[in-house]
Amino acid sequence: MNIVILSRNTNLYSTERLIEEGEKRGHQIEVIDPLKCDLIIEKEKPTIFYKDRYLDYVDAIIPRIGASVTFFGCAVVRQFEMMNVFTSVTSDAIIRSRDKLRSFQRLSKAGIGMPKTVFTNYSRDIEKVLSHVGGTPVIIKLLEGTQGLGVVLAETKNAAESVLEAFNGLQARALVQEFIAEAKGADIRALVVDGHVVGAMKRQGKEGEFRSNLHRGGSAEIIKLNEAEIKVAMNAARALKLPVCGVDILQSARGPLLLEVNSTPGLEGIEKATGKNIAKSIITYIERNKH
């Protein structure tokens, strides 16, 4: 098969591993920068031109689209879909998952437990907003934030007011979410491929840090999920129609709570923490489903 990885950097761990496992299984793997693609839209013959050639020989794609290039990156994925090329994650699913508000609405409708969350249209009545999530401390998240950026812990009403006023002043939309103290700065990342959890790790934020993201200095270790946690991960992937995704879960006194779903999860942390060959799982998923 001719498999294209849509990535802006060939040297990223995740991209390198997908190349390695794909070639091991006899596929032709090519890395293409989505931002350098020209989309040619014409009647009955959508095509993509890249550097000096038409990409009309591609069998399957693996999108590794960064949050900052979601709009054009997803347009490229959609163009491949129009050309009947199989994709490990659809453009619609990536867009859905990147919109935190939209994805939370879908996930709550699917009956998945989450920390209480409030979204308002630049509300001035901050006290009312805080009361909806049980008062301070609260987590305030930018709708567009990623990798722990744009996530603030406000421990007091005054702090929450300051942060929300700053975000409102910048016209940046934010969610207010209850703080789950018993999680103690840790969360679980479960990697789902084709409806199954293929690896899970527990990430612990560094001392004094409530965010557990690994590139913020957190640490990770392998964890065996209980049935409730597996169910949350699988249901979240199904609700957002993401065959390949990372599902972040908090362990709380009232059971597992969904934190976020990532449509292009990095492989380095989870492969190193679990010793599992996640890249191979993604390649074999494509083999099973590419008709």
Side-chain angles (χ1 to χ4, degrees):
M1 250 195 292
N2 289 310
I3 300 176
V4 159
I5 300 168
L6 292 174
S7 170
R8 300 194 61 208
N9 187 348
T10 313
N11 302 322
L12 289 175
Y13 177 93
S14 303
T15 308
E16 285 183 340
R17 286 286 297 117
L18 289 163
I19 295 168
E20 188 184 345
E21 290 302 326
E23 287 178 345
K24 230 185 246 181
R25 297 184 66 79
H27 303 297
Q28 296 292 321
I29 310 286
E30 191 179 355
V31 178
I32 281 176
D33 180 346
L35 297 193
K36 293 188 177 151
C37 290
D38 295 332
L39 310 184
I40 299 164
I41 299 161
E42 61 178 324
K43 186 183 175 186
E44 292 177 1
K45 195 177 178 287
T47 51
I48 297 175
F49 192 75
Y50 179 73
K51 290 188 174 170
D52 57 356
R53 62 194 181 282
Y54 291 99
L55 302 180
D56 51 8
Y57 53 85
V58 179
D59 298 306
I61 59 168
I62 303 173
R64 303 285 312 167
I65 307 286
S68 61
V69 297
T70 299
F71 177 80
F72 193 77
C74 284
V76 174
V77 176
R78 197 178 309 116
Q79 188 83 347
F80 274 114
E81 289 166 5
M82 299 296 139
M83 294 158 61
N84 296 318
V85 172
F86 179 80
T87 175
S88 61
V89 183
T90 67
S91 55
D92 282 351
I94 297 171
I95 291 166
R96 248 196 315 270
S97 71
R98 294 274 161 88
D99 182 336
K100 284 196 179 78
L101 180 60
R102 187 176 171 190
S103 61
F104 280 163
Q105 288 171 319
R106 284 183 76 102
L107 293 161
S108 74
K109 188 172 189 299
I112 295 163
M114 291 180 283
K116 277 185 204 149
T117 303
V118 177
F119 176 71
T120 68
N121 191 34
Y122 307 128
S123 172
R124 297 271 169 261
D125 190 350
I126 287 164
E127 208 157 313
K128 186 181 73 183
V129 172
L130 296 177
S131 73
H132 286 314
V133 295
T136 54
V138 293
I139 301 288
I140 301 171
K141 289 182 178 177
L142 281 179
L143 273 187
E144 304 295 312
T146 180
Q147 299 183 327
L149 300 170
V151 181
V152 179
L153 169 62
E155 303 206 28
T156 63
K157 179 173 165 284
N158 285 350
E161 278 181 352
S162 301
V163 172
L164 285 169
E165 278 167 12
F167 283 168
N168 287 350
L170 294 166
Q171 298 214 314
R173 295 183 179 277
L175 297 165
V176 179
Q177 206 167 55
E178 75 173 306
F179 177 60
I180 308 298
E182 63 267 29
K184 296 188 172 69
D187 70 6
I188 292 168
R189 160 63 62 95
L191 221 125
V192 177
V193 178
D194 204 10
H196 300 281
V197 175
V198 293
M201 61 178 170
K202 185 167 186 172
R203 304 184 294 189
Q204 180 68 54
K206 64 181 182 198
E207 192 65 38
E209 172 62 84
F210 70 96
R211 294 167 293 190
S212 60
N213 305 68
L214 296 185
H215 51 268
R216 306 195 75 80
S219 58
E221 60 182 21
I222 190 167
I223 184 174
K224 189 169 175 13
L225 301 187
N226 62 34
E227 266 185 47
E229 289 158 353
I230 290 170
K231 201 171 162 191
V232 165
M234 282 161 46
N235 287 350
R238 195 178 305 122
L240 295 182
K241 297 188 173 151
L242 286 167
V244 177
C245 60
V247 181
D248 297 344
I249 299 167
L250 284 178
Q251 293 176 307
S252 84
R254 59 179 192 268
L257 300 177
L258 182 90
L259 200 53
E260 204 164 346
V261 184
N262 188 320
S263 53
T264 47
L267 304 184
E268 184 169 13
I270 197 145
E271 283 200 339
K272 288 181 175 172
T274 62
K276 300 267 177 74
N277 190 337
I278 310 285
K280 182 182 174 188
S281 300
I282 294 170
I283 300 292
T284 55
Y285 158 66
I286 291 170
E287 290 170 354
R288 282 195 302 278
N289 289 274
K290 165 76 185 91
H291 302 303

